[in-house]
Amino acid sequence: MPDVTSLLAEAVAFNTVSDRPTAGIAAWMAERLEHLGLSVDLQETEPGKVNLVARAGPPVGGLILSGHLDVVPVEGQPWSSDPFRLERRGDRLYGRGSADMKAFAASVLAGLERLDLRGLREELVLVFTHDEEVGCLGAKAFVERQLEAGGRLPGLCWIGEPTGFRMLRMHPGHVAFAVECRGRAAHSSKPDLGRNAILLAGRAMEVLERTAAEWARERHFPELLERPFVTMNVAQIQGGSAVNIVPDACTLTVGFRPMPGMSPEGLLDQIRDRLRPLAEPADLSVRLIRVTPGMLTPEGTVLEDALRPHCLDHRHGAAQFATDGGQLERLGVRTLVFGPGSIDVAHQADEYVPVDHLHRCVEAVEAVVRRRCA
C-alpha cells in the first residue's frame, strides 16, 4: 500500500472545489476502505455529490472519524505551484486541501492499514462529507437521513480539521441571510420620481453595523474563544443596472455566527425588528439562506483522554469557524476537533501541511482507534 504522503498526493489530485463532484474521491477512498474490511455506503445526495459512510466492528460503543472531501476555490490566488499537485518544499507539503482537510483523510487510510479491523470490539464509523465549505450541506443531508432511518452511531466523534493538534471542543454556528431592498426605477435626470433601493440598503447596513457593535459587547465563552461574541459580516451587495437609472432593487448578503445554545431564529428576528422601521414591508424583507449549527462538547469525554497524548498544545480551545460537528450534535454525538496543519494557511494560496504533522496524525489515528475500538 502507498505511504501517507502518496495517499495525500492522490487525494489532493482530485479537484473537489465545492462546485464540483465528490464522487471520484469518495470512490477512491471506498476502494481502499473495502480492501481493509470496512463496509462502505456511498450516499449520493444530488448528482455527483457523495458522502462516504464506512463501518467496521459490532454496533456497540465506538468512535466516528469524520472529515470533508471538498475544498475551497483557487481562482485568482497567487499559487507558486499547481494547487492540485502535491509538492514538497523542505518540511512542508503544498496543495489545495493539504491542510483543510485531506491530510486527515490520508492519515485515516494510512492509520487503519496498521490495524486488524476484523477483531474490533466496538464500532468504528467513518463519515466523510461533501460541501462542508459552503455550509456543511453534506453533513446536514447525512444527519437528516440518519434521523429518518433511525440508525445508530457511536456517541463520540473526532473531526480532523487543522488545529495544530490542539483539542477544540466548541465553535459558533453560522447563519447566512439576505436583506432584499426594493425601490422604483426612474430616469436619473428625475430621481425624485423613483425610489433608490441602494440608498435603502445603505440605511440597512447602518442598522446592521449598530447591531453588530451591540452584539460585540455581550461576551460568551471568553475562556475559549478569541472573539467571544456574535460576529457579523456584510459580505455582498448587488444592485443597480446602469448609471442613468435609479436602482429599483438591491440585495445584501450577510452572515453572523451565533454561540452554541443561542437561537439563530431569535437573532434573525431581532434583525428583522430593527430593519422594519426603515421602509414599508413591501420595500424591505429579510430572507434566511442557511443555518449551520454551533457545537459545544463538555469536558472530560473518553475521546479527550484518548487524544491527549497526541496534543502539541494541551489547552482546551474553540474553533472560530464552523464544522460538521454542529450537525452531528443533532444526533447526540459529542465531537472534538483535532488535526494536522493550521487553519491559518487554509483557504489561501500555497496552503500546506507540515510533513511531521502528517506522520503524527497517522500515529494518532492508529492509537486512538486501537484504544477506543480494538
Side-chain angles (χ1 to χ4, degrees), residues 137-207:
L137 303 183
K140 180 181 179 183
F142 167 76
V143 167
E144 289 174 351
R145 181 176 294 201
Q146 283 291 124
L147 290 171
E148 182 178 345
R152 80 165 299 278
L153 285 173
L156 295 171
C157 177
W158 170 10
I159 293 181
E161 291 275 5
T163 70
F165 294 114
R166 182 184 181 190
M167 275 191 287
L168 308 182
R169 64 180 184 89
M170 73 153 289
H171 62 70
H174 189 230
V175 177
F177 67 96
V179 179
E180 297 173 333
C181 303
R182 289 167 295 278
R184 184 172 59 244
H187 195 284
S188 64
S189 65
K190 298 180 179 180
D192 53 296
L193 298 181
R195 195 165 60 244
N196 193 311
I198 290 178
L199 293 180
L200 177 58
R203 294 196 292 276
M205 280 192 280
E206 292 176 354
V207 172

Side-chain angles (χ1 to χ4, degrees), residues 31-373:
E31 180 182 0
R32 281 153 180 78
L33 292 169
E34 287 174 342
H35 178 75
L36 295 175
L38 289 91
S39 63
V40 179
D41 181 15
L42 295 179
Q43 301 178 354
E44 188 173 48
T45 64
E46 58 183 86
K49 296 292 190 177
V50 175
N51 291 330
L52 178 145
V53 181
R55 295 176 181 265
V60 293
L63 176 67
I64 302 169
L65 301 178
S66 184
H68 59 83
L69 301 173
D70 61 316
V71 297
V72 296
V74 300
E75 284 76 17
Q77 294 185 337
W79 281 81
S80 302
S81 56
D82 181 349
F84 298 106
R85 181 176 60 83
L86 193 70
E87 179 172 299
R88 179 166 182 166
R89 293 179 232 153
D91 60 357
R92 296 175 176 178
L93 295 164
Y94 291 83
R96 173 55 86 223
S98 55
D100 188 15
M101 57 177 295
K102 291 178 177 178
F104 185 66
S107 299
V108 167
L109 292 175
L112 295 185
E113 287 174 14
R114 302 180 177 189
L115 298 165
D116 180 4
L117 300 179
R118 295 168 297 181
L120 297 184
R121 59 181 171 78
E122 295 191 18
E123 188 173 30
L124 173 67
V125 178
L126 274 55
V127 179
F128 282 79
T129 63
H130 67 81
D131 287 342
E132 188 269 356
E133 296 288 8
V134 290
C136 301
L137 303 183
K140 180 181 179 183
F142 167 76
V143 167
E144 289 174 351
R145 181 176 294 201
Q146 283 291 124
L147 290 171
E148 182 178 345
R152 80 165 299 278
L153 285 173
L156 295 171
C157 177
W158 170 10
I159 293 181
E161 291 275 5
T163 70
F165 294 114
R166 182 184 181 190
M167 275 191 287
L168 308 182
R169 64 180 184 89
M170 73 153 289
H171 62 70
H174 189 230
V175 177
F177 67 96
V179 179
E180 297 173 333
C181 303
R182 289 167 295 278
R184 184 172 59 244
H187 195 284
S188 64
S189 65
K190 298 180 179 180
D192 53 296
L193 298 181
R195 195 165 60 244
N196 193 311
I198 290 178
L199 293 180
L200 177 58
R203 294 196 292 276
M205 280 192 280
E206 292 176 354
V207 172
L208 294 173
E209 186 177 21
R210 289 196 297 271
T211 301
E214 180 180 319
W215 287 354
R217 292 193 289 270
E218 299 178 10
R219 300 288 155 146
H220 310 268
F221 306 103
E223 72 284 4
L224 292 175
L225 284 168
E226 181 182 346
R227 292 170 180 80
F229 50 86
V230 179
T231 60
M232 186 189 301
N233 179 43
V234 180
Q236 293 176 302
I237 181 168
Q238 295 174 314
S241 57
V243 73
N244 59 349
I245 302 174
V246 174
D248 63 354
C250 185
T251 299
L252 306 174
T253 305
V254 188
F256 65 85
R257 296 182 181 269
M259 296 293 147
M262 286 185 168
S263 166
E265 294 79 8
L267 292 173
L268 197 60
D269 285 343
Q270 188 180 132
I271 289 170
R272 286 192 177 99
D273 290 343
R274 295 180 180 198
L275 290 175
R276 190 169 291 117
L278 294 182
E280 297 296 325
D283 296 329
L284 186 149
S285 62
V286 175
R287 174 173 56 85
L288 177 65
I289 299 172
R290 182 176 61 246
V291 175
T292 303
M295 183 196 87
L296 178 60
T297 295
E299 291 188 70
T301 64
V302 293
L303 178 57
E304 180 182 322
D305 292 338
L307 288 173
R308 187 174 291 111
H310 309 283
C311 288
L312 290 177
D313 183 337
H314 288 271
R315 296 172 299 162
H316 277 290
Q320 201 73 39
F321 53 90
T323 76
D324 284 342
Q327 290 289 351
L328 293 172
E329 195 171 87
R330 295 169 57 198
L331 299 173
V333 173
R334 292 174 293 174
T335 297
L336 292 175
V337 184
F338 178 84
S342 170
I343 197 66
D344 293 341
V345 302
H347 298 198
Q348 301 180 22
D350 291 347
E351 176 185 351
Y352 69 87
V353 64
V355 174
D356 64 320
H357 277 217
L358 193 60
H359 291 283
R360 186 183 188 92
C361 194
V362 175
E363 300 288 340
V365 168
E366 178 190 5
V368 171
V369 173
R370 191 182 298 279
R371 179 169 174 175
R372 287 294 309 141
C373 302

